[in-house]
């Protein structure tokens, strides 16, 4: 089934495009929207976005493959992104990652069987004062230890 | 305690809302600026010598002066990509005080003759982007944005543009490519963005913290500004301290504040009595300082003299319990991941070095490996299209030089 945007989202898209003198500039905002609506960016979604912007699907593919936040495969309901950069690793990010791997029985880059969690290692997420830290979808969680991780994960439906 | 400029309102709860901001004297700078001639503002900005807070330290007034007076649209791109590891200051500014940034944007645009501004914010900061959008819509409602701002005849539109996870898009020309809807590969310079920038038009690119200084410069004058910090490097910086300190966080202090004091006095000293080994003084791209090198004023020129850099003023504190090989691993992992791949020395060099360092960390290294790292990094330095290559090579070379003995002991 090819994806389609709802009427409400189409209106939002028109508003976004109007901000730029050239339509293509709206590609990242549209890809964020696509990911928000459909969970990931499939080849069909790329065609959809290309059609709206009047560009070739390959141009959309070029952009999608450049940016790490754009997922080309479905991911879990909760995307756990653990910072593995310097300030976080100084304060024990590696041990916490091991703990998460064990707890979720997945490796970074994998999604749990029930499709609930995807685990990723990422570079600095701009919250180094709260190291070690992670994002779950777009929520930041800092000053982590095992107990805090347990509490956060237990709170997720 | 020195007077705060950028963080003066941070203790107030609702200052991110326009009504509270106005109660605190907000938007007075815009009112004052719109009554001045653009040339007068430019003159004052040149006098203030506000040096860019994004990393390179280029004076904002001089940069604006490069924009040609041509009959073309001009753009302002606000660099809110904040990707330099260790850096989190712009997040604080935007979430606590978005209207201070908006004032800076309005004044800059009026001065340069810009009618369209984009805030390019890193994709992870979704909550911050929403806050900015709310602030923008409040400013439109009050007549500080949009058509004929405060009956001055000046029009300005501002919108937020979210990145999607790529450190290189913080580099100004990559940011332009990304904003235009392409892969974030840097452009060859010249031409510089001031003449050929966004959509092939003259463009000013400034960092969030740089722009947020402008309202206070307009209100209090260039002399007031240069009176803070150092004469040639005026004002304050928001130092972001992370790593092995008791109180990691942001500290707004005059430029030239001693690094030792920032760590020991402001950030509470070393965490749980740990001992200092090294400091990265300006974000990951800055060469490391050893423990006995931190008695140094934090300004652009002093750090250049110490063969490091102030960069984004992000201070990462490393203790003696941490292996410099692990630091090197984190640094090389980052750059090999973030190289955009356009030029060979950076693409191949960073990933090759990362592979060697990983092998060393597994205990399979040899003395030749350290020589290879130095050789490879030296062959990136100065040989790439954009400064990311140098940003990768410099910290690697500094660790290899200053901590060679320790690295050898891990072979
Ligand atoms: C690889 C790389 C990444 C950069 N990332 C950022 C960034 O995240 N934020 C920023 O403001 N400047 C960043 N810069 C610096 C910008 O290229 C540019 O100098 C700056 O936005 C200019 O604004 P300023 O003069 O106000 O500092 C980066 C530079 C390089 C080479
Ligand atoms: S130096 Fe690296 S990041 Fe910069 S253009 Fe070359 S490959 Fe890309
Ligand atoms: S190093 Fe982890 S958030 Fe910056």
């Amino acid at each position: 089934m090819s994806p389609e945007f709802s009427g409400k989202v189409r209106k939002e898209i028109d508003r976004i495009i109007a901000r730029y003198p050239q339509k293509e500039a709206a590609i990242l905002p549209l890809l964020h929207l696509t990911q928000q609506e459909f969970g990931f960016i499939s080849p069909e979604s790329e065609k959809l976005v290309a059609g709206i912007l009047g560009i070739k699907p390959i141009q959309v593919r070029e952009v999608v493959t450049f940016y790490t936040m754009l997922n080309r495969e479905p991911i879990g309901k909760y995307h756990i992104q653990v910072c593995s950069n310097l300030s976080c690793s100084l304060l024990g990010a590696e041990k916490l990652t091991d703990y998460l791997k064990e707890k979720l029985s997945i490796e970074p880059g994998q999604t749990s069987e029930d499709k609930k969690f995807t685990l990723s290692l990422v570079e600095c997420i701009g919250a180094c004062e709260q190291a070690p830290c992670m994002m779950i979808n777009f929520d930041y969680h800092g000053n982590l230890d095992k107990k805090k991780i347990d509490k956060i994960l237990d709170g997720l439906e | 305690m020195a007077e705060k400029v950028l963080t003066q309102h941070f203790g107030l709860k609702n200052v991110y809302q326009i009504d509270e901001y106005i109660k605190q004297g907000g938007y007075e700078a815009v009112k004052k600026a719109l009554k001045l001639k653009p040339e007068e503002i430019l003159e004052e900005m040149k006098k203030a010598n506000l040096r860019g807070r994004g990393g390179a330290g280029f004076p904002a007034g001089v940069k604006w002066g490069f924009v040609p007076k041509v009959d073309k649209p001009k753009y302002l791109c606000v660099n809110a990509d904040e990707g330099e590891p260790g850096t989190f200051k712009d997040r604080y500014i935007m979430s606590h005080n978005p209207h201070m940034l908006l004032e800076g944007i309005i004044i800059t645009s009026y001065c340069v003759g810009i009618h369209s501004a984009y805030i390019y914010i890193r994709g992870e900061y979704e909550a911050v982007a929403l806050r900015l959008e709310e602030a923008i819509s409040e400013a439109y409602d009050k007549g500080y944005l949009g058509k004929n701002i405060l009956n001055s005849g000046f029009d300005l539109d501002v919108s937020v543009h979210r990145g999607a996870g790529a450190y290189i898009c913080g580099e100004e020309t990559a940011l332009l490519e990304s904003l235009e809807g392409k892969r974030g590969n840097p452009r060859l310079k010249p031409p510089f963005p001031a003449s050929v920038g966004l959509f092939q038009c003259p463009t000013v690119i400034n960092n969030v913290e740089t722009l947020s200084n402008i309202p206070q410069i307009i209100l209090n004058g260039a002399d007031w500004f240069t009176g803070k910090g150092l004469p040639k490097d005026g004002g304050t910086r928001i130092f972001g301290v992370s790593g092995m300190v008791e109180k990691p966080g942001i500290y707004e202090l005059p430029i030239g504040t001693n690094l030792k004091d920032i760590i020991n006095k402001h950030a509470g000293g070393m965490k749980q009595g740990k001992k200092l080994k090294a400091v990265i003084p300006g974000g990951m791209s800055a060469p490391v300082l050893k423990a006995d090198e931190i008695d140094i004023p934090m300004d652009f020129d002093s750090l250049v003299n110490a063969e490091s850099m102030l960069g984004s003023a992000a201070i990462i504190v490393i203790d003696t319990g941490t292996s410099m090989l692990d630091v090197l691993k984190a640094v090389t992992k980052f750059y090999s991941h973030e190289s955009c791949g356009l030029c060979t020395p950076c693409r191949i060099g960073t990933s090759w070095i990362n592979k060697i360092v990983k092998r060393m960390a597994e205990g399979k290294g040899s003395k030749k490996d350290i020589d290879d790292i130095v050789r490879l990094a030296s062959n990136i330095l100065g040989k790439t299209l954009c400064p990311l290559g140098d940003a990768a090579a410099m910290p690697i070379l500094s660790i290899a030089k200053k901590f060679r003995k320790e690295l050898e002991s891990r072979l």
Side-chain angles (χ1 to χ4, degrees):
Chain A
M1 201 183 70
S2 8
E4 265 307 329
F5 290 121
S6 68
K8 193 167 149 246
V9 175
R10 282 306 290 241
K11 279 208 186 104
E12 169 73 16
I13 288 175
D14 291 340
R15 268 201 304 274
I16 292 172
I17 292 175
R19 291 182 201 149
Y20 306 95
Q22 293 174 11
K23 256 183 158 182
E24 284 128 274
I27 192 165
L28 278 186
L30 258 56
L31 289 171
H32 278 301
L33 258 181
T34 307
Q35 190 152 296
Q36 189 183 307
E37 292 294 306
F38 310 120
F40 72 109
I41 298 165
S42 64
E44 290 75 29
S45 301
E46 288 172 356
K47 278 193 201 128
L48 177 68
V49 170
I52 293 171
L53 295 177
I55 56 180
K56 296 197 188 81
I58 187 70
Q59 284 172 273
V60 180
R61 174 74 55 90
E62 281 178 350
V63 170
V64 174
T65 51
F66 190 81
Y67 299 92
T68 50
M69 284 174 67
L70 303 177
N71 301 311
R72 299 181 60 212
E73 302 287 337
I75 57 166
K77 183 172 175 198
Y78 297 106
H79 191 186
I80 304 180
Q81 308 191 56
V82 186
C83 174
S84 63
N85 205 291
L86 186 55
S87 301
C88 287
S89 66
L90 286 172
L91 287 145
E94 219 160 302
K95 276 199 195 113
L96 292 179
T97 309
D98 288 341
Y99 183 65
L100 276 164
K101 287 200 288 201
E102 202 187 291
K103 200 173 156 80
L104 304 172
S105 309
I106 47 175
E107 291 292 312
Q110 293 179 344
T111 298
S112 62
E113 243 167 62
D114 59 2
K115 305 272 186 281
K116 191 166 169 190
F117 296 108
T118 298
L119 182 63
S120 304
L121 292 183
V122 293
E123 296 298 343
C124 178
I125 53 178
C128 330
E129 85 282 22
Q130 302 161 40
C133 60
M134 65 181 181
M135 293 173 75
I136 300 183
N137 297 341
F138 281 108
D139 294 330
Y140 277 74
H141 301 275
N143 302 313
L144 294 174
D145 53 29
K146 287 182 184 171
K147 241 170 91 187
K148 202 159 169 194
I149 287 181
D150 285 343
K151 215 176 133 204
I152 294 164
L153 294 192
D154 288 346
L156 297 177
E157 293 283 302
Chain B
M1 180 74 40
E3 194 192 331
K4 306 255 190 283
V5 182
L6 299 161
T7 59
Q8 57 179 310
H9 301 129
F10 277 23
L12 304 168
K13 239 172 99 197
N14 295 327
V15 81
Y16 66 90
Q17 292 167 341
I18 201 162
D19 290 333
E20 183 62 27
Y21 183 66
I22 289 172
K23 245 191 245 162
Q24 301 301 327
Y27 285 99
E28 288 303 318
V30 163
K31 286 183 197 158
K32 181 172 174 186
L34 291 178
K35 288 188 193 122
L36 297 169
K37 291 202 190 78
E39 308 84 68
E40 290 172 317
I41 298 176
L42 188 63
E43 206 46 48
E44 198 66 17
M45 285 298 296
K46 282 187 175 162
K47 236 173 91 189
N49 200 40
L50 166 64
R51 297 182 69 169
R53 275 33 173 171
F58 197 80
V62 178
K63 192 190 289 192
W64 302 357
F66 289 152
V67 175
K69 296 214 165 19
V70 289
D71 190 20
K72 260 187 172 185
K74 301 180 186 77
Y75 294 100
L76 172 64
C77 294
V78 180
N79 196 338
D81 198 49
E82 190 145 85
E84 182 70 32
T87 315
F88 44 86
K89 62 186 177 77
D90 295 337
R91 192 188 91 230
Y92 274 88
I93 297 178
M94 292 184 284
S95 43
H96 286 261
N97 224 341
H99 288 289
M100 193 178 252
L101 172 62
L102 287 181
E103 278 203 89
I105 292 172
I106 297 165
I107 297 165
T108 306
S109 302
Y110 171 70
C111 176
V112 184
I114 290 166
H115 303 292
S116 190
Y118 298 98
I119 305 175
Y120 187 101
I121 184 169
R122 63 177 300 170
E124 290 85 350
Y125 286 176
E126 188 194 46
V128 187
L130 287 173
R131 171 144 300 176
L132 281 174
E133 276 171 352
E134 275 166 33
I136 290 170
S137 110
E138 286 179 326
Y140 271 104
D141 287 346
K142 296 259 186 211
Y144 294 118
L145 287 177
K147 293 249 174 293
N148 191 19
I149 295 172
L150 304 178
N151 286 320
S152 63
F154 173 64
D155 306 336
L156 177 65
D157 286 313
V158 178
S159 46
V160 177
H161 189 96
R162 286 174 60 211
Y167 167 65
I168 190 59
C169 292
E171 193 281 330
E172 54 185 18
T173 61
L175 185 152
L176 297 175
E177 289 286 300
S178 178
L179 228 168
E180 288 182 2
K182 295 178 234 161
R183 293 167 74 86
N185 293 125
R187 296 176 184 169
L188 199 61
K189 290 191 277 195
F192 289 93
S195 43
V196 185
L198 190 64
F199 309 121
Q200 302 295 308
C201 295
T203 301
V204 170
I205 302 162
N206 273 128
N207 169 262
V208 169
E209 186 184 352
T210 312
L211 293 167
S212 301
N213 271 292
I214 293 166
Q216 293 296 320
I217 296 177
I218 293 300
L219 286 177
N220 303 309
D223 291 335
W224 166 85
F225 187 74
T226 53
K228 292 179 173 297
L230 305 173
K232 278 195 173 162
D233 196 350
T236 59
R237 280 301 290 256
I238 301 184
F239 296 99
V241 189
S242 65
M244 286 297 182
V245 289
E246 275 296 335
K247 295 193 293 177
I250 54 156
Y251 298 95
E252 183 184 6
L253 297 163
I255 289 189
T257 302
N258 195 294
L259 176 56
K260 211 164 147 182
D261 291 339
I262 298 177
I263 295 173
N264 291 333
K265 290 201 186 131
H266 300 283
M270 295 300 290
K271 197 179 169 76
Q272 292 154 2
K274 288 185 190 295
K275 273 182 71 188
L276 181 70
K277 184 186 220 168
V279 178
I280 298 178
M284 188 172 263
S285 307
V288 295
L289 300 173
K290 290 194 299 189
D292 59 5
E293 294 171 327
I294 66 160
D295 189 0
I296 184 173
M298 288 289 275
D299 61 86
F300 281 108
D301 300 332
S302 300
L303 280 160
V304 168
N305 288 338
E307 293 177 8
S308 185
M309 63 181 205
L310 183 58
S312 60
I315 299 166
I316 307 173
V317 178
I318 299 163
D319 70 312
T320 50
T322 301
S323 149
M324 287 314 277
L325 189 55
D326 288 336
V327 175
L328 193 58
K329 201 167 87 178
V331 172
T332 58
K333 173 174 75 70
F334 175 71
Y335 288 106
S336 65
H337 183 255
E338 300 297 340
S339 167
C340 85
L342 205 59
C343 31
T344 314
C346 172
R347 181 184 65 241
I348 306 285
T350 52
S351 68
W352 199 347
I353 296 172
N354 184 231
K355 272 185 201 148
I356 297 175
V357 174
K358 275 208 293 222
R359 189 170 67 216
M360 287 170 68
E362 286 163 13
K364 295 178 199 152
S366 70
K367 238 183 180 150
K368 185 175 163 290
D369 282 339
I370 304 176
D371 294 332
D372 281 344
I373 291 170
V374 171
R375 189 173 48 87
L376 285 164
S378 310
N379 275 323
I380 301 174
L381 206 61
K383 296 189 179 68
T384 57
L385 192 140
C386 93
L388 185 139
D390 291 348
M394 289 183 308
I396 296 172
L397 287 169
S398 75
I399 294 172
K401 188 172 148 203
K402 293 185 179 176
F403 293 94
R404 185 164 184 125
K405 275 220 177 85
E406 184 189 330
L407 296 180
E408 284 176 355
S409 75
R410 287 282 308 263
L411 293 173

